[in-house]
Amino acid sequence: MSVFERFWQRLTAPLPSRAICALTSEGVVAFDRRSRQSAFRPWTEQAFQPGFDEENVRRPDVFAAVLRDAARALGLSGERRWSALVPGATARTHVITLEAATPRQDVPEVILWKAERLTGLAGSDLWMTVAELGPASTAAGGAGKRFLLTAMNRRVALDLQGHLQRLGWQPGLILPRIVCESLWLQRSPAQLDQMLISVEEDTLAVMLLRRGFPLAIRTLPLAGEAPAEQLLRLLLFFREHAAESGLSLETTQIRFEVLAVNAPLKTAEISQCIVETFGEAPRMVEPRQLGFASASELSQLAGVAGLALATD
């Protein structure tokens, strides 16, 4: 196991609990890691609304009732340790690169400075988790270091944590959904660069990975735009910034293994966008290969089930 793999594992430490829940704009998905059973319960009265700058829990009493009902449906009412997945609108995920010349003692300060610029928040208002991912090419051409940053507004994070604790739950992990979805690609035996395409509400996110570890992440809104055009726009950005994205410059053609979660595009459309950009048809990961009966089941459970893989 490499050094940066150990750092990555710290992102999902402590180990996920038996009980996992994913909070979405539509409702909550509860998941039992032991039985692999799940239960979905929709929000009522707009109890939960994802957002980066405002508290997400709008109706505490309704929020609590919906979560209790989902837990009860799986026989998890007595569980105290829970892991929670939050939407991309609540917790932002970035891959950041530090120049090779950055002194070791300055790394935390530089990461904080980058986080402030990316989020628009002061350091005192940030709730962050950072994992080192390994070496990276930098704009100056040297070998720097790459880090995965997940950031929330501290006020939003503490408010959410407080609502979970009032249920009697101990939230050991609070992670963005996309990070947990990407864990599926750590299990792949394919020796290919990897791509996760994930859509939440009206936001398209694309994460590039190598051996299951993130290289770069970009997002674009889908509202009023054709999904294929927005996907192509993101892929072209990665192509034009290949070195910064961690892609190889030794060949003009790159073949990807691709997992698409909740993408409003047919497999052929995704493949065509990738061929136009990188010159090679991708190896598409189908839901059934991961044990899901359909694309809709994958969309609902990819995050919670992906996190459950961390202890298997």
mmCIF file of all heavy atoms in Angstrom, residues 3-46:
data_model
loop_
_atom_site.group_PDB
_atom_site.id
_atom_site.type_symbol
_atom_site.label_atom_id
_atom_site.label_comp_id
_atom_site.label_asym_id
_atom_site.label_seq_id
_atom_site.Cartn_x
_atom_site.Cartn_y
_atom_site.Cartn_z
ATOM 1 N N VAL A 3 1.957 5.372 0.222
ATOM 2 C CA VAL A 3 1.735 6.398 1.238
ATOM 3 C C VAL A 3 0.417 7.122 0.994
ATOM 4 O O VAL A 3 -0.380 7.326 1.908
ATOM 5 C CB VAL A 3 2.907 7.402 1.252
ATOM 6 C CG1 VAL A 3 2.579 8.571 2.165
ATOM 7 C CG2 VAL A 3 4.188 6.717 1.698
ATOM 8 N N PHE A 4 0.166 7.523 -0.268
ATOM 9 C CA PHE A 4 -1.038 8.301 -0.506
ATOM 10 C C PHE A 4 -2.301 7.449 -0.394
ATOM 11 O O PHE A 4 -3.373 7.966 -0.100
ATOM 12 C CB PHE A 4 -0.981 9.048 -1.836
ATOM 13 C CG PHE A 4 -1.044 8.211 -3.077
ATOM 14 C CD1 PHE A 4 -2.254 7.907 -3.667
ATOM 15 C CD2 PHE A 4 0.126 7.779 -3.693
ATOM 16 C CE1 PHE A 4 -2.312 7.158 -4.832
ATOM 17 C CE2 PHE A 4 0.074 7.035 -4.858
ATOM 18 C CZ PHE A 4 -1.151 6.718 -5.424
ATOM 19 N N GLU A 5 -2.194 6.134 -0.573
ATOM 20 C CA GLU A 5 -3.352 5.272 -0.338
ATOM 21 C C GLU A 5 -3.714 5.263 1.141
ATOM 22 O O GLU A 5 -4.885 5.254 1.512
ATOM 23 C CB GLU A 5 -3.071 3.854 -0.835
ATOM 24 C CG GLU A 5 -3.132 3.723 -2.343
ATOM 25 C CD GLU A 5 -2.721 2.344 -2.807
ATOM 26 O OE1 GLU A 5 -1.783 1.777 -2.230
ATOM 27 O OE2 GLU A 5 -3.336 1.835 -3.753
ATOM 28 N N ARG A 6 -2.704 5.301 2.020
ATOM 29 C CA ARG A 6 -2.980 5.348 3.448
ATOM 30 C C ARG A 6 -3.657 6.666 3.815
ATOM 31 O O ARG A 6 -4.570 6.705 4.625
ATOM 32 C CB ARG A 6 -1.685 5.159 4.245
ATOM 33 C CG ARG A 6 -1.141 3.740 4.200
ATOM 34 C CD ARG A 6 -0.102 3.505 5.263
ATOM 35 N NE ARG A 6 1.108 4.276 5.037
ATOM 36 C CZ ARG A 6 2.142 3.839 4.328
ATOM 37 N NH1 ARG A 6 2.082 2.647 3.767
ATOM 38 N NH2 ARG A 6 3.207 4.582 4.167
ATOM 39 N N PHE A 7 -3.208 7.764 3.211
ATOM 40 C CA PHE A 7 -3.842 9.057 3.467
ATOM 41 C C PHE A 7 -5.283 9.037 2.989
ATOM 42 O O PHE A 7 -6.178 9.568 3.635
ATOM 43 C CB PHE A 7 -3.073 10.181 2.771
ATOM 44 C CG PHE A 7 -1.948 10.749 3.590
ATOM 45 C CD1 PHE A 7 -0.634 10.387 3.343
ATOM 46 C CD2 PHE A 7 -2.209 11.639 4.614
ATOM 47 C CE1 PHE A 7 0.403 10.911 4.102
ATOM 48 C CE2 PHE A 7 -1.178 12.174 5.379
ATOM 49 C CZ PHE A 7 0.134 11.806 5.117
ATOM 50 N N TRP A 8 -5.514 8.425 1.823
ATOM 51 C CA TRP A 8 -6.885 8.360 1.293
ATOM 52 C C TRP A 8 -7.787 7.600 2.258
ATOM 53 O O TRP A 8 -8.920 7.971 2.491
ATOM 54 C CB TRP A 8 -6.855 7.697 -0.078
ATOM 55 C CG TRP A 8 -8.220 7.336 -0.593
ATOM 56 C CD1 TRP A 8 -8.796 6.105 -0.586
ATOM 57 C CD2 TRP A 8 -9.169 8.212 -1.172
ATOM 58 N NE1 TRP A 8 -10.044 6.171 -1.133
ATOM 59 C CE2 TRP A 8 -10.298 7.440 -1.504
ATOM 60 C CE3 TRP A 8 -9.170 9.578 -1.461
ATOM 61 C CZ2 TRP A 8 -11.424 7.990 -2.103
ATOM 62 C CZ3 TRP A 8 -10.292 10.122 -2.062
ATOM 63 C CH2 TRP A 8 -11.399 9.337 -2.372
ATOM 64 N N GLN A 9 -7.285 6.513 2.830
ATOM 65 C CA GLN A 9 -8.098 5.724 3.738
ATOM 66 C C GLN A 9 -8.504 6.524 4.970
ATOM 67 O O GLN A 9 -9.551 6.284 5.566
ATOM 68 C CB GLN A 9 -7.356 4.454 4.145
ATOM 69 C CG GLN A 9 -7.280 3.430 3.019
ATOM 70 C CD GLN A 9 -6.726 2.110 3.489
ATOM 71 O OE1 GLN A 9 -6.111 2.038 4.545
ATOM 72 N NE2 GLN A 9 -6.923 1.069 2.713
ATOM 73 N N ARG A 10 -7.669 7.493 5.335
ATOM 74 C CA ARG A 10 -8.015 8.306 6.492
ATOM 75 C C ARG A 10 -9.264 9.141 6.242
ATOM 76 O O ARG A 10 -9.943 9.544 7.181
ATOM 77 C CB ARG A 10 -6.853 9.238 6.860
ATOM 78 C CG ARG A 10 -5.634 8.503 7.399
ATOM 79 C CD ARG A 10 -4.524 9.480 7.746
ATOM 80 N NE ARG A 10 -3.282 8.780 8.036
ATOM 81 C CZ ARG A 10 -2.138 9.393 8.297
ATOM 82 N NH1 ARG A 10 -2.091 10.709 8.310
ATOM 83 N NH2 ARG A 10 -1.059 8.694 8.550
ATOM 84 N N LEU A 11 -9.552 9.412 4.973
ATOM 85 C CA LEU A 11 -10.741 10.192 4.656
ATOM 86 C C LEU A 11 -11.999 9.449 5.069
ATOM 87 O O LEU A 11 -12.991 10.056 5.471
ATOM 88 C CB LEU A 11 -10.794 10.500 3.154
ATOM 89 C CG LEU A 11 -11.957 11.390 2.706
ATOM 90 C CD1 LEU A 11 -11.782 12.799 3.261
ATOM 91 C CD2 LEU A 11 -12.052 11.428 1.206
ATOM 92 N N THR A 12 -11.974 8.135 4.979
ATOM 93 C CA THR A 12 -13.139 7.332 5.359
ATOM 94 C C THR A 12 -12.904 6.634 6.693
ATOM 95 O O THR A 12 -13.450 5.566 6.962
ATOM 96 C CB THR A 12 -13.464 6.299 4.273
ATOM 97 O OG1 THR A 12 -12.304 5.525 3.987
ATOM 98 C CG2 THR A 12 -13.950 6.969 3.013
ATOM 99 N N ALA A 13 -12.071 7.242 7.550
ATOM 100 C CA ALA A 13 -11.865 6.734 8.898
ATOM 101 C C ALA A 13 -12.481 7.726 9.888
ATOM 102 O O ALA A 13 -12.417 8.927 9.663
ATOM 103 C CB ALA A 13 -10.374 6.567 9.175
ATOM 104 N N PRO A 14 -13.136 7.287 10.957
ATOM 105 C CA PRO A 14 -13.269 5.889 11.355
ATOM 106 C C PRO A 14 -14.073 5.076 10.353
ATOM 107 O O PRO A 14 -14.731 5.639 9.500
ATOM 108 C CB PRO A 14 -14.005 5.993 12.703
ATOM 109 C CG PRO A 14 -14.791 7.249 12.589
ATOM 110 C CD PRO A 14 -13.922 8.187 11.809
ATOM 111 N N LEU A 15 -13.989 3.756 10.500
ATOM 112 C CA LEU A 15 -14.679 2.889 9.557
ATOM 113 C C LEU A 15 -16.176 3.181 9.545
ATOM 114 O O LEU A 15 -16.758 3.522 10.573
ATOM 115 C CB LEU A 15 -14.452 1.423 9.926
ATOM 116 C CG LEU A 15 -13.013 0.913 9.778
ATOM 117 C CD1 LEU A 15 -12.932 -0.525 10.255
ATOM 118 C CD2 LEU A 15 -12.535 1.039 8.356
ATOM 119 N N PRO A 16 -16.808 3.067 8.366
ATOM 120 C CA PRO A 16 -18.255 3.292 8.297
ATOM 121 C C PRO A 16 -18.993 2.386 9.272
ATOM 122 O O PRO A 16 -18.618 1.234 9.497
ATOM 123 C CB PRO A 16 -18.597 2.936 6.844
ATOM 124 C CG PRO A 16 -17.314 3.126 6.101
ATOM 125 C CD PRO A 16 -16.234 2.737 7.068
ATOM 126 N N SER A 17 -20.044 2.916 9.863
ATOM 127 C CA SER A 17 -20.848 2.161 10.804
ATOM 128 C C SER A 17 -21.758 1.197 10.058
ATOM 129 O O SER A 17 -21.829 1.209 8.831
ATOM 130 C CB SER A 17 -21.688 3.141 11.625
ATOM 131 O OG SER A 17 -22.455 3.947 10.748
ATOM 132 N N ARG A 18 -22.477 0.383 10.817
ATOM 133 C CA ARG A 18 -23.456 -0.504 10.188
ATOM 134 C C ARG A 18 -24.543 0.326 9.507
ATOM 135 O O ARG A 18 -25.032 -0.016 8.431
ATOM 136 C CB ARG A 18 -24.081 -1.409 11.248
ATOM 137 C CG ARG A 18 -25.244 -2.237 10.704
ATOM 138 C CD ARG A 18 -25.946 -3.034 11.806
ATOM 139 N NE ARG A 18 -27.118 -3.720 11.276
ATOM 140 C CZ ARG A 18 -27.945 -4.438 12.013
ATOM 141 N NH1 ARG A 18 -27.734 -4.569 13.319
ATOM 142 N NH2 ARG A 18 -28.983 -5.030 11.461
ATOM 143 N N ALA A 19 -24.940 1.415 10.128
ATOM 144 C CA ALA A 19 -26.028 2.252 9.628
ATOM 145 C C ALA A 19 -25.486 3.428 8.822
ATOM 146 O O ALA A 19 -24.631 4.180 9.300
ATOM 147 C CB ALA A 19 -26.870 2.758 10.793
ATOM 148 N N ILE A 20 -25.973 3.574 7.596
ATOM 149 C CA ILE A 20 -25.558 4.657 6.709
ATOM 150 C C ILE A 20 -26.805 5.334 6.170
ATOM 151 O O ILE A 20 -27.792 4.660 5.853
ATOM 152 C CB ILE A 20 -24.715 4.124 5.527
ATOM 153 C CG1 ILE A 20 -23.492 3.356 6.041
ATOM 154 C CG2 ILE A 20 -24.266 5.258 4.620
ATOM 155 C CD1 ILE A 20 -22.705 2.641 4.947
ATOM 156 N N CYS A 21 -26.771 6.649 6.064
ATOM 157 C CA CYS A 21 -27.898 7.345 5.446
ATOM 158 C C CYS A 21 -27.382 8.383 4.455
ATOM 159 O O CYS A 21 -26.321 8.966 4.659
ATOM 160 C CB CYS A 21 -28.808 8.005 6.483
ATOM 161 S SG CYS A 21 -28.104 9.423 7.329
ATOM 162 N N ALA A 22 -28.130 8.556 3.388
ATOM 163 C CA ALA A 22 -27.810 9.572 2.389
ATOM 164 C C ALA A 22 -28.940 10.588 2.369
ATOM 165 O O ALA A 22 -30.096 10.236 2.128
ATOM 166 C CB ALA A 22 -27.641 8.936 1.010
ATOM 167 N N LEU A 23 -28.593 11.831 2.624
ATOM 168 C CA LEU A 23 -29.566 12.916 2.594
ATOM 169 C C LEU A 23 -29.563 13.523 1.200
ATOM 170 O O LEU A 23 -28.515 13.941 0.702
ATOM 171 C CB LEU A 23 -29.213 13.980 3.638
ATOM 172 C CG LEU A 23 -29.047 13.470 5.077
ATOM 173 C CD1 LEU A 23 -28.563 14.597 5.976
ATOM 174 C CD2 LEU A 23 -30.347 12.886 5.599
ATOM 175 N N THR A 24 -30.714 13.551 0.559
ATOM 176 C CA THR A 24 -30.831 14.111 -0.784
ATOM 177 C C THR A 24 -31.935 15.157 -0.783
ATOM 178 O O THR A 24 -32.674 15.304 0.199
ATOM 179 C CB THR A 24 -31.165 13.017 -1.824
ATOM 180 O OG1 THR A 24 -32.548 12.634 -1.673
ATOM 181 C CG2 THR A 24 -30.285 11.786 -1.636
ATOM 182 N N SER A 25 -32.072 15.855 -1.891
ATOM 183 C CA SER A 25 -33.131 16.859 -1.976
ATOM 184 C C SER A 25 -34.514 16.227 -1.985
ATOM 185 O O SER A 25 -35.504 16.859 -1.623
ATOM 186 C CB SER A 25 -32.936 17.724 -3.223
ATOM 187 O OG SER A 25 -32.972 16.920 -4.389
ATOM 188 N N GLU A 26 -34.594 14.946 -2.404
ATOM 189 C CA GLU A 26 -35.888 14.259 -2.485
ATOM 190 C C GLU A 26 -36.275 13.557 -1.181
ATOM 191 O O GLU A 26 -37.458 13.453 -0.854
ATOM 192 C CB GLU A 26 -35.876 13.219 -3.607
ATOM 193 C CG GLU A 26 -35.755 13.793 -5.006
ATOM 194 C CD GLU A 26 -34.312 14.055 -5.391
ATOM 195 O OE1 GLU A 26 -33.406 13.488 -4.721
ATOM 196 O OE2 GLU A 26 -34.086 14.826 -6.325
ATOM 197 N N GLY A 27 -35.294 13.046 -0.468
ATOM 198 C CA GLY A 27 -35.598 12.295 0.742
ATOM 199 C C GLY A 27 -34.338 11.683 1.326
ATOM 200 O O GLY A 27 -33.221 12.065 0.959
ATOM 201 N N VAL A 28 -34.507 10.724 2.217
ATOM 202 C CA VAL A 28 -33.367 10.061 2.839
ATOM 203 C C VAL A 28 -33.340 8.596 2.427
ATOM 204 O O VAL A 28 -34.372 7.941 2.344
ATOM 205 C CB VAL A 28 -33.429 10.189 4.385
ATOM 206 C CG1 VAL A 28 -34.668 9.518 4.949
ATOM 207 C CG2 VAL A 28 -32.181 9.581 5.032
ATOM 208 N N VAL A 29 -32.134 8.113 2.141
ATOM 209 C CA VAL A 29 -31.921 6.688 1.867
ATOM 210 C C VAL A 29 -31.160 6.113 3.049
ATOM 211 O O VAL A 29 -30.037 6.544 3.340
ATOM 212 C CB VAL A 29 -31.104 6.477 0.580
ATOM 213 C CG1 VAL A 29 -30.868 4.979 0.356
ATOM 214 C CG2 VAL A 29 -31.798 7.095 -0.613
ATOM 215 N N ALA A 30 -31.773 5.186 3.756
ATOM 216 C CA ALA A 30 -31.102 4.488 4.850
ATOM 217 C C ALA A 30 -30.587 3.152 4.328
ATOM 218 O O ALA A 30 -31.224 2.516 3.487
ATOM 219 C CB ALA A 30 -32.059 4.279 6.017
ATOM 220 N N PHE A 31 -29.430 2.727 4.841
ATOM 221 C CA PHE A 31 -28.781 1.519 4.320
ATOM 222 C C PHE A 31 -28.168 0.747 5.471
ATOM 223 O O PHE A 31 -27.479 1.315 6.336
ATOM 224 C CB PHE A 31 -27.696 1.916 3.313
ATOM 225 C CG PHE A 31 -27.072 0.767 2.575
ATOM 226 C CD1 PHE A 31 -27.689 0.219 1.458
ATOM 227 C CD2 PHE A 31 -25.850 0.239 2.975
ATOM 228 C CE1 PHE A 31 -27.107 -0.839 0.764
ATOM 229 C CE2 PHE A 31 -25.257 -0.810 2.289
ATOM 230 C CZ PHE A 31 -25.898 -1.349 1.179
ATOM 231 N N ASP A 32 -28.420 -0.553 5.490
ATOM 232 C CA ASP A 32 -27.837 -1.448 6.488
ATOM 233 C C ASP A 32 -26.635 -2.140 5.857
ATOM 234 O O ASP A 32 -26.793 -2.958 4.948
ATOM 235 C CB ASP A 32 -28.885 -2.477 6.934
ATOM 236 C CG ASP A 32 -28.390 -3.364 8.080
ATOM 237 O OD1 ASP A 32 -27.163 -3.543 8.215
ATOM 238 O OD2 ASP A 32 -29.237 -3.886 8.828
ATOM 239 N N ARG A 33 -25.458 -1.829 6.349
ATOM 240 C CA ARG A 33 -24.238 -2.356 5.729
ATOM 241 C C ARG A 33 -24.148 -3.878 5.848
ATOM 242 O O ARG A 33 -23.562 -4.535 4.982
ATOM 243 C CB ARG A 33 -23.007 -1.709 6.383
ATOM 244 C CG ARG A 33 -21.688 -2.121 5.755
ATOM 245 C CD ARG A 33 -20.535 -1.293 6.279
ATOM 246 N NE ARG A 33 -20.413 -1.341 7.716
ATOM 247 C CZ ARG A 33 -19.835 -2.333 8.395
ATOM 248 N NH1 ARG A 33 -19.331 -3.370 7.738
ATOM 249 N NH2 ARG A 33 -19.746 -2.309 9.703
ATOM 250 N N ARG A 34 -24.730 -4.461 6.882
ATOM 251 C CA ARG A 34 -24.636 -5.910 7.078
ATOM 252 C C ARG A 34 -25.591 -6.662 6.159
ATOM 253 O O ARG A 34 -25.216 -7.627 5.502
ATOM 254 C CB ARG A 34 -24.924 -6.262 8.534
ATOM 255 C CG ARG A 34 -23.890 -5.729 9.506
ATOM 256 C CD ARG A 34 -24.240 -6.107 10.932
ATOM 257 N NE ARG A 34 -23.356 -5.457 11.885
ATOM 258 C CZ ARG A 34 -23.539 -5.483 13.205
ATOM 259 N NH1 ARG A 34 -24.573 -6.139 13.718
ATOM 260 N NH2 ARG A 34 -22.695 -4.845 14.001
ATOM 261 N N SER A 35 -26.845 -6.226 6.116
ATOM 262 C CA SER A 35 -27.847 -6.957 5.334
ATOM 263 C C SER A 35 -27.906 -6.492 3.886
ATOM 264 O O SER A 35 -28.503 -7.158 3.041
ATOM 265 C CB SER A 35 -29.225 -6.783 5.970
ATOM 266 O OG SER A 35 -29.677 -5.436 5.837
ATOM 267 N N ARG A 36 -27.302 -5.313 3.599
ATOM 268 C CA ARG A 36 -27.355 -4.686 2.267
ATOM 269 C C ARG A 36 -28.796 -4.303 1.875
ATOM 270 O O ARG A 36 -29.103 -4.161 0.709
ATOM 271 C CB ARG A 36 -26.760 -5.604 1.181
ATOM 272 C CG ARG A 36 -25.251 -5.818 1.298
ATOM 273 C CD ARG A 36 -24.508 -4.493 1.147
ATOM 274 N NE ARG A 36 -23.086 -4.660 0.902
ATOM 275 C CZ ARG A 36 -22.151 -4.681 1.867
ATOM 276 N NH1 ARG A 36 -22.507 -4.552 3.128
ATOM 277 N NH2 ARG A 36 -20.879 -4.810 1.569
ATOM 278 N N GLN A 37 -29.639 -4.120 2.872
ATOM 279 C CA GLN A 37 -31.003 -3.671 2.622
ATOM 280 C C GLN A 37 -31.065 -2.147 2.717
ATOM 281 O O GLN A 37 -30.294 -1.523 3.450
ATOM 282 C CB GLN A 37 -31.972 -4.300 3.631
ATOM 283 C CG GLN A 37 -32.054 -5.816 3.545
ATOM 284 C CD GLN A 37 -32.590 -6.284 2.203
ATOM 285 O OE1 GLN A 37 -33.650 -5.859 1.758
ATOM 286 N NE2 GLN A 37 -31.837 -7.170 1.548
ATOM 287 N N SER A 38 -32.015 -1.556 2.001
ATOM 288 C CA SER A 38 -32.150 -0.097 2.006
ATOM 289 C C SER A 38 -33.613 0.298 2.145
ATOM 290 O O SER A 38 -34.522 -0.503 1.885
ATOM 291 C CB SER A 38 -31.579 0.507 0.721
ATOM 292 O OG SER A 38 -32.336 0.091 -0.405
ATOM 293 N N ALA A 39 -33.837 1.538 2.551
ATOM 294 C CA ALA A 39 -35.188 2.094 2.644
ATOM 295 C C ALA A 39 -35.125 3.564 2.270
ATOM 296 O O ALA A 39 -34.261 4.296 2.767
ATOM 297 C CB ALA A 39 -35.748 1.922 4.060
ATOM 298 N N PHE A 40 -36.022 3.979 1.400
ATOM 299 C CA PHE A 40 -36.117 5.388 1.000
ATOM 300 C C PHE A 40 -37.388 5.998 1.578
ATOM 301 O O PHE A 40 -38.457 5.393 1.514
ATOM 302 C CB PHE A 40 -36.138 5.520 -0.526
ATOM 303 C CG PHE A 40 -36.430 6.927 -0.997
ATOM 304 C CD1 PHE A 40 -35.437 7.892 -0.963
ATOM 305 C CD2 PHE A 40 -37.699 7.279 -1.444
ATOM 306 C CE1 PHE A 40 -35.707 9.198 -1.375
ATOM 307 C CE2 PHE A 40 -37.977 8.562 -1.870
ATOM 308 C CZ PHE A 40 -36.975 9.536 -1.832
ATOM 309 N N ARG A 41 -37.252 7.191 2.149
ATOM 310 C CA ARG A 41 -38.401 7.921 2.643
ATOM 311 C C ARG A 41 -38.321 9.361 2.127
ATOM 312 O O ARG A 41 -37.304 10.031 2.326
ATOM 313 C CB ARG A 41 -38.435 7.925 4.186
ATOM 314 C CG ARG A 41 -38.682 6.554 4.799
ATOM 315 C CD ARG A 41 -40.066 6.037 4.489
ATOM 316 N NE ARG A 41 -40.372 4.775 5.147
ATOM 317 C CZ ARG A 41 -40.106 3.584 4.641
ATOM 318 N NH1 ARG A 41 -39.516 3.481 3.455
ATOM 319 N NH2 ARG A 41 -40.435 2.483 5.295
ATOM 320 N N PRO A 42 -39.364 9.828 1.453
ATOM 321 C CA PRO A 42 -39.345 11.198 0.917
ATOM 322 C C PRO A 42 -39.556 12.236 2.012
ATOM 323 O O PRO A 42 -40.199 11.962 3.036
ATOM 324 C CB PRO A 42 -40.520 11.187 -0.065
ATOM 325 C CG PRO A 42 -41.473 10.190 0.519
ATOM 326 C CD PRO A 42 -40.623 9.121 1.140
ATOM 327 N N TRP A 43 -39.009 13.424 1.780
ATOM 328 C CA TRP A 43 -39.270 14.534 2.703
ATOM 329 C C TRP A 43 -40.711 14.997 2.534
ATOM 330 O O TRP A 43 -41.287 14.906 1.450
ATOM 331 C CB TRP A 43 -38.350 15.722 2.421
ATOM 332 C CG TRP A 43 -36.897 15.453 2.491
ATOM 333 C CD1 TRP A 43 -35.978 15.640 1.500
ATOM 334 C CD2 TRP A 43 -36.157 14.940 3.606
ATOM 335 N NE1 TRP A 43 -34.726 15.281 1.920
ATOM 336 C CE2 TRP A 43 -34.798 14.845 3.208
ATOM 337 C CE3 TRP A 43 -36.511 14.551 4.897
ATOM 338 C CZ2 TRP A 43 -33.808 14.393 4.061
ATOM 339 C CZ3 TRP A 43 -35.516 14.085 5.750
ATOM 340 C CH2 TRP A 43 -34.185 14.007 5.333
ATOM 341 N N THR A 44 -41.253 15.516 3.582
ATOM 342 C CA THR A 44 -42.529 16.212 3.512
ATOM 343 C C THR A 44 -42.326 17.622 4.059
ATOM 344 O O THR A 44 -41.396 17.865 4.858
ATOM 345 C CB THR A 44 -43.608 15.490 4.347
ATOM 346 O OG1 THR A 44 -43.153 15.366 5.711
ATOM 347 C CG2 THR A 44 -43.880 14.104 3.785
ATOM 348 N N GLU A 45 -43.136 18.534 3.606
ATOM 349 C CA GLU A 45 -43.098 19.922 4.088
ATOM 350 C C GLU A 45 -41.717 20.561 3.924
ATOM 351 O O GLU A 45 -41.311 21.389 4.736
ATOM 352 C CB GLU A 45 -43.534 19.990 5.551
ATOM 353 C CG GLU A 45 -44.934 19.420 5.804
ATOM 354 C CD GLU A 45 -45.323 19.499 7.257
ATOM 355 O OE1 GLU A 45 -45.128 20.568 7.870
ATOM 356 O OE2 GLU A 45 -45.809 18.490 7.776
ATOM 357 N N GLN A 46 -40.982 20.158 2.857
ATOM 358 C CA GLN A 46 -39.662 20.739 2.575
ATOM 359 C C GLN A 46 -38.761 20.726 3.814
ATOM 360 O O GLN A 46 -38.125 21.722 4.161
ATOM 361 C CB GLN A 46 -39.802 22.155 2.035
ATOM 362 C CG GLN A 46 -40.553 22.214 0.707
ATOM 363 C CD GLN A 46 -40.638 23.616 0.147
ATOM 364 O OE1 GLN A 46 -40.789 24.586 0.884
ATOM 365 N NE2 GLN A 46 -40.532 23.728 -1.169
#
